[in-house]
């Protein structure tokens, strides 16, 4: 099935918008073009901004097409996008980011499970797969991205509360224990009756419990009291700069499966090409690169097998 250049350009435009173009044909005749796309939830951009206002870096890690992922990332306002990664590559990226600071991974699929386990804190979407939920430390029951910032806000409040309780308990014991042991009797003549000592211990527990109960007053979705922290300088893994690059070649002369195999093998023999696929009916060849291989090298490899390369597009 031959595809008109104008339709290919339209498909390219749709792909740049983050949509996946689908071409439909029957009996060698093109019927039409349909584009599908993921949509982000209304609260996602706001949730990303809240995380950034807390001093956190937000990275979108996905196995989807790079252009589609970048379009979604721009709409959500994330700091960086790492696309076209396999499950084991997601886990490797998380390990790399952990060397730069504490990481929190949010996911919902089976492919996210290794990364959820590797992160300092793994958070699974409540509507996600059982594998992801089992691998996570936290489950967001309402499946909203805004719950991520709420979870961070709650965890910081709990940690702050623990520090407060430890501080006051320490001060209380520094004062009370010497008094109960009679250390101050020779100096000041201070004594502590057992009844008052028991009362003081009860008051200590009462203060700690009361301070902890203040967490019930915390509005986890209220960002007005967030304190911004200095974010770490984020360095993305080098793989994201080159690996996963795709190029689409328009090739003339392919007639059968033998031609497809010949073109594929010729392209895969080029250093820097991870994988290649050829389609004789569409007259195209798609290559996945580990580095940015120059177009003329790809063209020369195909034309050495007596096929003609009309055009090369970076995806």
């Amino acid at each position: 099935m031959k595809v008109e250049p104008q339709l290919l350009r339209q498909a390219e435009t749709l792909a740049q918008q983050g949509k996946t173009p689908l071409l439909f044909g029957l009996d060698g005749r093109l019927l039409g073009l349909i584009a599908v796309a993921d949509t982000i939830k209304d609260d996602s951009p706001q949730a990303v901004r809240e995380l950034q206002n807390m001093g956190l870096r937000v990275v979108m890690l996905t196995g989807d097409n790079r252009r589609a992922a970048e379009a979604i990332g721009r709409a959500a306002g994330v700091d960086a996008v790492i696309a076209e990664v396999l499950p084991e590559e997601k886990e490797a990226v998380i390990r790399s980011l952990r060397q730069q600071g504490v990481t929190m991974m949010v996911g919902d699929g089976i492919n996210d499970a290794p990364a959820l386990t590797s992160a300092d804190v793994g958070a699974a979407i409540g509507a996600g797969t059982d594998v992801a939920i089992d691998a996570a430390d936290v489950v967001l029951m309402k499946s909203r991205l805004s719950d991520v910032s709420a979870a961070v806000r709650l965890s910081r409040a709990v940690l702050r509360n623990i520090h407060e309780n430890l501080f006051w308990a320490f001060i209380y014991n520094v004062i009370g224990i010497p008094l109960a042991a009679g250390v101050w009797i020779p100096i000041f003549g201070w004594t502590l009756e057992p009844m008052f000592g028991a009362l003081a211990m009860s008051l200590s527990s009462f203060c700690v419990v009361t301070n902890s109960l203040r967490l019930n007053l915390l509005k986890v979705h209220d960002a007005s009291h967030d304190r911004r922290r200095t974010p770490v300088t984020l360095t993305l893994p080098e793989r994201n700069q080159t690996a996963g690059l795709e190029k689409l070649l328009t090739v003339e002369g392919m007639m059968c499966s033998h031609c497809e195999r010949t073109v594929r093998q010729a392209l895969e023999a080029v250093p820097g090409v991870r994988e290649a696929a050829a389609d004789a009916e569409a007259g195209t060849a798609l290559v996945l690169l580990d580095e940015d291989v120059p177009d003329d090298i790809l063209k020369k490899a195909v034309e050495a097998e007596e096929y003609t390369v009309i055009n090369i597009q970076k995806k």
Side-chain angles (χ1 to χ4, degrees), residues 120-139:
D120 293 294
V121 179
I125 302 297
T129 63
D130 292 339
V131 175
I133 292 175
D134 290 340
D137 303 298
V138 179
V139 179

Side-chain angles (χ1 to χ4, degrees), residues 6 8 10 20 40 48 54 58 72 111 116 121 133 153 163 173 179 197 199 218 223 230 239 251 269 282 290 294 311:
Q6 181 180 359
L8 286 176
Q10 185 177 359
T20 302
I40 61 175
V48 171
M54 294 179 183
V58 183
I72 296 295
N111 294 339
L116 288 169
V121 179
I133 292 175
R153 203 169 287 120
H163 291 163
N173 286 300
L179 184 61
L199 177 62
L218 177 67
T230 303
R239 181 206 174 279
V251 182
D290 285 324
N311 185 35

Side-chain angles (χ1 to χ4, degrees), residues 58-118:
V58 183
V59 179
M60 180 177 173
L61 186 60
T62 177
D64 292 342
N65 177 272
R66 179 168 51 85
R67 287 180 300 178
E70 288 176 350
I72 296 295
R74 285 193 299 270
V78 300
D79 295 299
V81 175
I82 302 179
E84 298 176 343
V85 287
L86 299 174
E88 61 271 18
E89 292 173 325
K90 288 184 179 181
E91 192 269 341
V93 170
I94 292 296
R95 279 191 285 108
S96 175
L97 294 177
R98 284 188 66 184
Q99 298 175 2
Q100 305 175 48
V102 178
T103 60
M104 180 179 183
M105 171 69 186
V106 182
D108 64 351
I110 296 176
N111 294 339
D112 297 323
L116 288 169
T117 304
S118 180

Side-chain angles (χ1 to χ4, degrees), residues 15 21 29 51 64 98 105 111 123 175 186 192 206-207 210 214 221-222 237 239 241 245 247 275 310:
R29 182 169 59 90
L51 291 171
D64 292 342
R98 284 188 66 184
M105 171 69 186
N111 294 339
I175 297 174
L192 180 66
F206 174 78
C207 292
T210 303
R214 290 192 306 112
H221 291 285
D222 183 8
R239 181 206 174 279
Q241 309 301 325
L245 177 65
K247 290 188 176 182
E275 187 179 354
I310 304 300

Side-chain angles (χ1 to χ4, degrees), residues 4-301:
E4 297 295 331
Q6 181 180 359
L7 197 59
L8 286 176
R9 287 193 296 270
Q10 185 177 359
E12 179 71 17
T13 300
L14 291 170
Q16 292 175 354
Q17 296 173 357
K19 302 173 182 177
T20 302
L22 302 175
L23 299 174
F24 292 88
L26 179 64
D27 297 332
R29 182 169 59 90
L30 182 65
L31 297 180
L33 169 66
I34 295 178
V36 297
D38 292 328
T39 57
I40 61 175
K41 294 184 177 180
D42 295 337
D43 66 335
S44 295
Q46 177 63 28
V48 171
R49 285 193 297 270
E50 289 183 5
L51 291 171
Q52 292 168 336
N53 290 336
M54 294 179 183
L56 303 178
R57 301 289 191 184
V58 183
V59 179
M60 180 177 173
L61 186 60
T62 177
D64 292 342
N65 177 272
R66 179 168 51 85
R67 287 180 300 178
E70 288 176 350
I72 296 295
R74 285 193 299 270
V78 300
D79 295 299
V81 175
I82 302 179
E84 298 176 343
V85 287
L86 299 174
E88 61 271 18
E89 292 173 325
K90 288 184 179 181
E91 192 269 341
V93 170
I94 292 296
R95 279 191 285 108
S96 175
L97 294 177
R98 284 188 66 184
Q99 298 175 2
Q100 305 175 48
V102 178
T103 60
M104 180 179 183
M105 171 69 186
V106 182
D108 64 351
I110 296 176
N111 294 339
D112 297 323
L116 288 169
T117 304
S118 180
D120 293 294
V121 179
I125 302 297
T129 63
D130 292 339
V131 175
I133 292 175
D134 290 340
D137 303 298
V138 179
V139 179
L140 307 177
M141 299 305 297
K142 294 184 179 180
S143 304
R144 300 178 304 186
L145 191 59
S146 58
D147 287 340
V148 178
S149 56
V152 174
R153 203 169 287 120
L154 176 60
S155 65
R156 287 183 174 180
V158 170
L159 190 60
R160 182 171 61 251
N161 196 288
I162 291 173
H163 291 163
E164 291 171 353
N165 287 341
L166 288 175
F167 173 78
W168 289 112
F170 177 77
I171 295 297
Y172 189 92
N173 286 300
V174 165
I175 297 174
I177 291 177
L179 184 61
V183 173
W184 307 120
I185 294 177
I187 303 174
F188 303 106
W190 293 349
T191 61
L192 180 66
E193 294 291 337
M195 181 175 63
F196 288 105
L199 177 62
M201 288 301 299
S202 299
L203 288 175
S204 173
S205 300
F206 174 78
C207 292
V208 170
V209 172
T210 303
N211 188 45
S212 300
L213 289 175
R214 290 192 306 112
L215 289 173
N216 290 324
L217 304 177
L218 177 67
K219 298 178 180 179
V220 293
H221 291 285
D222 183 8
S224 59
H225 300 292
D226 288 343
R227 292 195 303 171
R228 183 178 179 86
R229 301 184 181 183
T230 303
V232 297
T233 301
L234 187 64
T235 302
L236 297 180
E238 293 184 0
R239 181 206 174 279
N240 188 52
Q241 309 301 325
T242 56
L245 177 65
E246 292 182 358
K247 290 188 176 182
L248 182 66
L249 288 71
T250 303
V251 182
E252 282 189 352
M254 292 190 297
M255 304 295 294
C256 59
S257 59
H258 174 74
C259 298
E260 293 176 346
R261 183 169 60 254
T262 301
V263 171
R264 176 177 58 81
Q265 292 175 349
L267 290 169
E268 290 181 343
V270 176
V273 176
R274 181 195 303 180
E275 187 179 354
D279 188 339
E281 191 173 358
T284 59
L286 181 66
V287 290
L288 180 61
L289 308 173
D290 285 324
E291 58 186 65
D292 195 359
V293 180
D295 293 350
D296 57 341
I297 294 180
L298 297 174
K299 182 177 180 180
K300 186 181 297 185

